[in-house]
Amino acid sequence: MIEIDAISKAYGDVTVVDNVSMTIDAGSITVIVGTSGSGKTTLLRMINRLVEPTRGTIRIDGEDNGAIAPHELRRRIGYAIQGHGLFPHRTVAENIATVPKLLGWPQDRIDARVEELLKLFQLDPVAFGPRFPHELSGGQSQRVGVARALAAEPNLLLMDEPFGALDPVIRAKAQDDLLAIQKHFGTTIILVTHDMEEAFGLADRIAVMDGGRLLQYATPTEMLANPATDFVASLIGTAERPFRLLALNPVEKAMEPGVAEGEPISGEASQRDALAELLWSGRPALPVTGKDGIVAGRVTVDSLLKQARPA
């Protein structure tokens, strides 16, 4: 658990983070969003003390991070950035092994961890381990950067615009990879982005910052239903709010009794996917299957439109 308690950062007369407090649950994904200059990256970097706070305290599992030597703290926290920051003169395997080597892990444990992570990110260890960063695509470099950040089995992973340089298709795959890896390891992730679509797709909770202040800290559903300020509402987007709500909820929540013709949709699919299929196909309803693959009901355009209205 991360406790950020009245944290502030000032450079001379300019305050870039202003009295921010928030608690981040273990094993969750928190996304910090805001426009350029909102203070989101500075807040992130105060967690691993790449930036020292002017006032306030950050506690990691109850321990004040200011009481931990910076180099020891950073070895306990994974850190992934845009551009991946890979060492160009080291192979993929050597890049991933960086922190475990600093921690004095035995070589057989390091080799096993490198192989495990490459396989998890769907990179063949034999083919990719000996390669150098310049031999990788953007998506491959991103996966290696995250693998390196996870190599020493940190409980906490900080990510600063990690997918910003990727094209939309590779970016979507990278986000799916991150969700799968987070579920596999149970890592607590704090991610900074300016992309609201990314925030709603990844976050358990979203923190919106502007002018160094925390405007709202809430679950995606709570934020969509009740944006705290006009700025938060504008960041979400008025036109996008119904579709974001549909994307957060599974079809089974909008399912009703009845039958429908045609190819069914899984109850675990998003309501936005169901609405898109209905509109594209021109059908009035879709059959909906349960986890057992058996049709359990149907979903209609009307039932989905009701779900798209904030409570």
Side-chain angles (χ1 to χ4, degrees):
M1 183 172 68
I2 316 300
E3 298 168 280
I4 299 172
D5 186 4
I7 206 81
S8 295
K9 178 63 182 179
Y11 294 98
D13 295 332
V14 179
T15 299
V16 294
V17 173
D18 189 2
N19 196 37
V20 170
S21 294
M22 56 197 287
T23 299
I24 296 166
D25 293 333
S28 67
I29 299 178
T30 295
V31 178
I32 306 172
V33 299
T35 55
S36 296
S38 62
K40 56 189 186 294
T41 291
T42 301
L43 178 62
L44 186 80
R45 291 180 178 177
M46 285 192 281
I47 296 172
N48 64 358
R49 294 182 62 191
L50 287 174
V51 172
E52 296 288 354
T54 304
R55 292 181 301 279
T57 305
I58 296 175
R59 291 180 291 274
I60 301 174
D61 289 331
E63 185 176 9
D64 184 348
N65 74 339
I68 307 169
H71 68 281
E72 292 181 7
L73 179 69
R74 290 168 201 152
R75 290 174 185 177
R76 290 163 49 177
I77 299 174
Y79 186 52
I81 60 174
Q82 181 175 325
H84 328 302
L86 300 179
F87 299 115
H89 59 288
R90 295 183 185 176
T91 66
V92 165
E94 289 168 344
N95 264 283
I96 296 172
T98 299
V99 176
K101 282 191 174 183
L102 288 172
L103 294 174
W105 285 20
Q107 191 60 47
D108 58 346
R109 183 183 176 191
I110 292 174
D111 292 342
R113 182 63 171 170
V114 170
E115 182 175 353
E116 176 191 20
L117 287 166
L118 285 172
K119 286 180 177 178
L120 278 170
F121 281 100
Q122 300 172 23
L123 297 170
D124 177 27
V126 175
F128 285 91
R131 292 189 189 179
F132 286 88
H134 73 271
E135 299 175 295
L136 303 176
S137 68
Q140 290 164 352
S141 294
Q142 182 274 333
R143 281 182 272 174
V144 172
V146 178
R148 185 179 64 179
L150 291 169
E153 302 174 355
N155 291 324
L156 174 60
L157 174 61
L158 308 180
M159 309 185 79
D160 190 3
E161 298 276 8
F163 311 128
L166 302 180
D167 69 53
V169 174
I170 296 175
R171 185 170 185 150
K173 176 64 169 63
Q175 292 165 359
D176 289 343
D177 284 346
L178 181 64
L179 289 172
I181 293 300
Q182 192 271 343
K183 185 176 181 180
H184 180 88
F185 289 117
T187 309
T188 304
I189 296 175
I190 306 174
L191 184 147
V192 162
T193 184
H194 64 276
D195 185 334
M196 290 302 296
E197 192 74 22
E198 184 165 272
F200 281 104
L202 294 175
D204 294 304
R205 292 178 73 89
I206 299 172
V208 178
M209 294 188 66
D210 184 48
R213 300 188 67 84
L214 179 64
L215 301 185
Q216 188 168 9
Y217 181 48
T219 67
T221 301
E222 290 167 347
M223 190 169 289
L224 285 167
N226 297 293
T229 68
D230 289 343
F231 178 82
V232 175
S234 67
L235 206 59
I236 293 170
T238 302
E240 291 86 353
R241 284 178 69 191
F243 298 102
R244 296 197 198 282
L245 276 170
L246 290 175
L248 292 173
N249 292 296
V251 171
E252 61 188 5
K253 286 190 175 181
M255 187 173 67
E256 60 184 36
V259 297
E261 299 294 326
E263 187 73 21
I265 190 168
S266 168
E268 296 178 335
S270 77
Q271 293 175 9
R272 183 165 67 175
D273 288 344
L275 181 61
E277 178 60 29
L278 284 166
L279 294 176
W280 277 108
S281 66
R283 288 187 281 168
L286 295 174
V288 179
T289 59
K291 292 181 180 179
D292 55 7
I294 298 173
V295 173
R298 68 175 188 173
V299 65
T300 66
V301 173
D302 286 343
S303 67
L304 290 169
L305 292 179
K306 288 177 184 177
Q307 295 287 319
R309 300 185 189 111

